Structure formats: structure tokens, C-alpha cells
Amino acid sequence: MSDEKEYLSKMRDTYGKAHGDLFLKVYSNEFRDETLKNKVKALKYEKISQEFINIIDKSIIEANKLMHFAVDDTKEVNEYHNKYMSQLNQVQNCSKCQCIDCEYECKFSSCGNCLSGCRVKDCDKKENCIIESTKTLTLYNDDKERDVEFIILAIIESNSYDKRYILLQEKYDEDNKQMFIVSDGLEDTEYINIENEEELENIAGLFMES
């Protein structure tokens, strides 16, 4: 029983905090950018997030009843979490995104740069915006003559070069890292090699720092 209560309390702390941190900021008068607000990836998951918190709260009440039957109070929470895991995790990601607390006029694409599962990790407000990702990407490898799955380690938007870059690591070969210029959106794009040596070194340095 104590394990169930501890689990439910942890879930409430984790997802309740993420929900509050994100949506209170988005809907507050202090949120600086109406355009950005409409682009926040998790905005469309507010109902799912709130319903999950309600389910957790209901389960906590049941677990704390004096007359308690031998049932698994975590069952409904687990089922809902498993069903909407990606949406709930996106709420967490967005709640931790650097864009949410930024007070500057944005020079970057901010939420427009992100896929689901991404968030802005670091931004110097002027030249470079670094995006952290949990996404994978499948690309065709000419040498291996087959599709290869890559983990997206980071994405950088650079105002200095007026380009976006992506750092990839082969999922089953950590030594195979690839860095490309991204010509368009990440899902349907052309990945271009960086030919300029100075540009390559500068962007590689940013990836290493991130």
C-alpha cells in the first residue's frame, strides 16, 4: 500500500508541476508573445494533462480511505499514462523549455523549430538556439544500402549563418555521428553536408558544448 501511495504522490508531483508550470505561464498576462503561445506544442494536450491529474487525485483519495479494499489504486493511472505517454511527456518538455521564461523579443523560430519530443535547451538570445531532442530519424545509408535509424542529439538554429543544423547518432553505433545542414522541416527535408571548414568547426563546437 505504501508503495502505491508513494508512486501516486510522485506522479502527482511530476505531472502536476509540469501542468501548472506550463499552462499558468501560457495563460498569464506576463506571457510575452501571443504568436509563440499559439505554437507551443503541448497547448493542444491541456485537456489530456488535466484529465490525467484528475485521475491521479481520484486514485490518491481511494488509496487514503480508511476502509480500503485490496485493489490496485495505480491501475487507472498506469493505463492512462501508457495511452497518452507522448502527449504527457510533451507537456513536461514544454514546461522546461527555455522559451517559456524568455523575456526577449525572439530572433529564432522557437516553437516552430521543435518536433514533438523536443524543447529549447539553451539560447543566447542573439546568435544560437540549441534544441534538445528525444526523437529518432530513419535515413537511407548509401554505403550500407539500407535504412539506418539515428537519434537526433540536437538541433541548432544559427543566426550567424542563417541556417539550421542537426546532429545525429546512429542508434546502434555510438561512434557514427553525422552533422548536416537542414534545408526545411525535419520530417521531409534535404540533409546537406557542411562544406565550409570554418563553419563546420564552429557548429561542431556548439554541438559539443550542448
Side-chain angles (χ1 to χ4, degrees):
M1 180 61 62
S2 60
D3 289 342
E4 288 184 8
K5 289 182 178 179
E6 184 178 342
Y7 168 78
L8 292 170
S9 177
K10 184 177 180 180
M11 293 293 275
R12 184 62 172 84
D13 290 344
T14 300
Y15 289 97
K17 183 179 187 306
H19 182 93
D21 285 350
L22 177 62
F23 295 109
L24 286 177
K25 288 174 184 175
V26 167
Y27 292 127
S28 73
N29 293 328
E30 298 175 2
F31 197 78
R32 59 169 181 82
D33 192 332
E34 287 293 319
T35 303
L36 173 61
K37 182 169 75 174
N38 294 328
K39 293 180 180 178
V40 173
K41 296 294 181 187
L43 199 60
K44 58 187 175 182
Y45 303 137
E46 181 182 9
K47 184 177 179 181
I48 290 173
S49 180
Q50 184 62 63
E51 187 172 358
F52 186 51
I53 294 167
N54 293 342
I55 290 171
I56 295 172
D57 287 343
K58 184 180 73 172
S59 298
I60 289 173
I61 291 171
E62 290 296 320
N64 286 322
K65 283 183 176 179
L66 290 177
M67 295 294 291
H68 188 273
F69 298 97
V71 296
D72 183 1
D73 295 303
T74 67
K75 182 180 178 182
E76 190 176 2
V77 173
N78 283 324
E79 288 177 349
Y80 196 93
H81 182 259
N82 291 336
K83 183 176 181 179
Y84 295 107
M85 185 181 297
S86 63
Q87 292 92 332
L88 294 167
N89 287 344
Q90 186 64 60
V91 172
Q92 279 205 77
N93 266 339
C94 288
S95 74
K96 298 174 183 176
C97 181
Q98 293 295 306
C99 292
I100 298 300
D101 291 313
C102 186
E103 298 177 355
Y104 291 78
E105 282 300 318
C106 189
K107 298 183 178 182
F108 301 98
S109 300
S110 56
C111 294
N113 266 330
C114 282
L115 293 170
S116 297
C118 297
R119 66 183 175 94
V120 172
K121 178 184 179 183
D122 190 30
C123 180
D124 64 11
K125 317 295 191 282
K126 295 179 181 179
E127 299 299 330
N128 300 295
C129 180
I130 301 174
I131 298 159
E132 188 175 52
S133 171
T134 58
K135 295 283 288 185
T136 59
L137 188 68
T138 301
L139 298 176
Y140 185 79
N141 187 296
D142 291 330
D143 295 331
K144 297 182 179 181
E145 297 184 339
R146 61 176 174 84
D147 286 338
V148 175
E149 190 172 8
F150 287 90
I151 300 167
I152 302 175
L153 296 180
I155 302 161
I156 289 181
E157 183 179 5
S158 169
N159 276 337
S160 301
Y161 294 105
D162 193 24
K163 295 174 186 173
R164 282 195 301 162
Y165 305 86
I166 189 168
L167 177 63
L168 305 172
Q169 175 186 291
E170 188 174 338
K171 188 171 184 177
Y172 302 108
D173 182 3
E174 293 184 0
D175 294 328
N176 182 17
K177 290 185 174 64
Q178 306 285 334
M179 188 166 64
F180 299 102
I181 298 168
V182 182
S183 64
D184 203 346
L186 299 179
E187 296 286 8
D188 184 19
T189 189
E190 181 181 0
Y191 295 91
I192 304 167
N193 289 319
I194 305 172
E195 303 291 347
N196 183 288
E197 187 173 337
E198 181 182 357
E199 178 183 353
L200 179 62
E201 290 180 359
N202 288 338
I203 298 302
L206 291 172
F207 276 127
M208 291 178 66
E209 291 173 8
S210 69

